[in-house]
Amino acid sequence: MSAENSQPTNPEQPEKKGLPNKVYFKIMGYLLTAAWVGFILAASGGDTNHPLFDYIFVVPLAGWIIGMIIARIIAKKTGADRP
């Protein structure tokens, strides 16, 4: 009886998996949205009559839609959720 027989010499270790692409796109969307809203609030001084304040929700909404389209294209091109 040797120690070689009781323990495998090449144990298989589970492969580390990262987060799916959709999670990365969501995180990036949240960060960019927060940065945009912060920028608008700082630039306008919180004044709702400032011309920049008109774009406080339109630009992030467009960004989210474009991000979803890009994420879908990447998923279709690679054939997997994570390239």
Side-chain angles (χ1 to χ4, degrees), residues 21-37:
N21 275 342
K22 64 182 178 179
V23 174
Y24 287 115
F25 275 95
K26 283 183 182 180
I27 291 170
M28 186 60 69
Y30 293 144
L31 293 174
L32 290 174
T33 299
W36 178 256
V37 171

Side-chain angles (χ1 to χ4, degrees), residues 12 15 17 19 21 23 32 34 36-38 52-53 55 58 63 65-66 68 72-76 79 82-83:
E12 291 185 26
E15 185 179 320
K17 279 192 161 186
L19 296 173
N21 275 342
V23 174
L32 290 174
W36 178 256
V37 171
L52 275 178
F53 209 83
Y55 301 104
V58 174
I65 292 170
I66 291 169
M68 288 173 27
R72 183 163 294 187
I73 290 170
I74 289 173
K76 283 185 180 181
R82 183 157 177 87

